[in-house]
């Protein structure tokens, strides 16, 4: 069954008439009848009884109608959820932060980050800068904040310097 079949059954239930349903679906009556037969063969049940007064769903047809309505609702929820997730930043951020920076600056920064990106899971590693540098070079973390100079050729941002010009904090990123 397809979503189009859900729509067919919904309109048949509403109109109780194959001719009217075919008009609303912009197909001819013969094509609609063939599709109904195909659905019945696929499910191995009789969905409806046809008479001069229109159609009436069988007990099995009522069950199929119920499940198709529920499936349609779930598909709509899935599409909304996926649409929302495409507009929201989510995923996992693995960060390596030097011990000193994490003690004095990380709590406030992390708090603001979680407010701005609530759907991002963070994994924070705090160690000596040398160990954090090895973690980023090995791909164990996505970003690193370290003290001192390190041979890094990818993205980096200077966050601060000592009076003698030596980098106090360096932000390294694999992106």
């Amino acid at each position: 069954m397809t979503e189009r079949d859900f729509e067919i059954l919904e309109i048949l239930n509403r109109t109780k008439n194959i001719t009217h349903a075919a008009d609303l679906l912009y197909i001819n009556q013969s094509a609609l009848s063939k599709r109904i037969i195909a659905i019945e063969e696929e499910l191995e049940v009789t969905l409806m009884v046809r008479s001069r007064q229109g159609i009436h769903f069988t007990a099995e047809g009522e069950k199929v109608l119920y499940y198709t309505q529920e499936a349609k609702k779930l598909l709509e929820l899935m599409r909304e959820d996926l649409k929302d997730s495409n507009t929201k930043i989510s995923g996992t951020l693995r960060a390596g932060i030097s011990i000193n920076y994490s003690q004095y600056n990380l709590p406030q920064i992390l708090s603001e980050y979680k407010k701005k990106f609530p759907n991002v899971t963070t994994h924070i590693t705090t160690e000596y800068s040398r160990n954090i540098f090895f973690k980023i070079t090995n791909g164990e973390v996505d970003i690193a904040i370290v003290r001192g100079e390190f041979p890094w050729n990818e993205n980096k941002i200077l966050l601060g310097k000592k009076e003698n010009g030596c980098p106090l904090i360096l932000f390294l990123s694999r992106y």
Side-chain angles (χ1 to χ4, degrees):
M1 288 188 70
T2 66
E3 283 185 76
R4 177 73 169 161
D5 296 334
F6 299 173
E7 182 182 15
I8 288 170
L9 293 175
E10 183 180 316
I11 291 174
L12 283 167
N13 185 48
R14 191 169 5 119
T15 63
K16 306 290 188 203
N17 185 294
I18 291 178
T19 305
H20 291 110
D23 289 341
L24 291 172
L25 292 164
Y26 300 106
I27 59 175
N28 63 40
Q29 184 178 344
S30 173
L32 179 57
S33 293
K34 286 178 184 176
R35 188 61 206 143
I36 294 167
I37 291 167
I39 295 169
E40 289 176 331
E41 287 175 357
E42 178 185 339
L43 299 175
E44 299 178 354
V45 296
T46 301
L47 294 175
M48 58 195 74
V49 177
R50 296 153 186 91
S51 71
R52 290 187 183 265
Q53 291 79 30
I55 60 159
H56 301 282
F57 281 89
T58 63
E60 292 88 359
E62 291 289 338
K63 283 182 185 178
V64 170
L65 189 61
Y66 169 78
Y67 285 114
T68 57
Q69 290 168 343
E70 292 299 309
K72 187 176 177 183
K73 288 177 193 173
L74 284 173
L75 283 169
E76 288 172 13
L77 280 173
M78 177 190 68
R79 286 188 178 107
E80 278 183 39
D81 188 34
L82 291 173
K83 187 174 108 182
D84 287 347
S85 69
N86 286 339
T87 60
K88 294 178 185 173
I89 295 174
S90 61
T92 302
L93 174 67
R94 300 172 305 147
I97 314 292
S98 73
I99 293 171
N100 289 342
Y101 193 84
S102 64
Q103 280 182 319
Y104 300 108
N105 302 91
L106 187 60
Q108 181 182 349
I109 291 171
L110 194 55
S111 174
E112 290 173 22
Y113 184 86
K114 290 304 284 178
K115 285 178 191 171
K116 189 171 182 179
F117 304 106
N119 297 321
V120 174
T121 303
T122 53
H123 292 285
I124 308 294
T125 302
T126 58
E127 291 190 41
Y128 292 112
S129 292
R130 182 173 43 93
N131 295 342
I132 296 296
F133 179 72
F134 288 129
K135 286 187 181 295
I136 198 162
T137 56
N138 293 333
E140 295 175 45
V141 295
D142 302 313
I143 63 168
I145 298 178
V146 295
R147 290 181 61 160
E149 292 191 44
F150 292 92
W152 185 254
N153 296 326
E154 295 185 45
N155 297 329
K156 58 184 169 182
I157 300 170
L158 182 63
L159 300 178
K161 285 187 178 186
K162 287 185 178 179
E163 295 82 34
N164 64 2
C166 180
L168 179 61
I169 301 293
L170 194 60
F171 173 79
L172 310 173
S173 170
R174 301 192 69 67
Y175 302 104

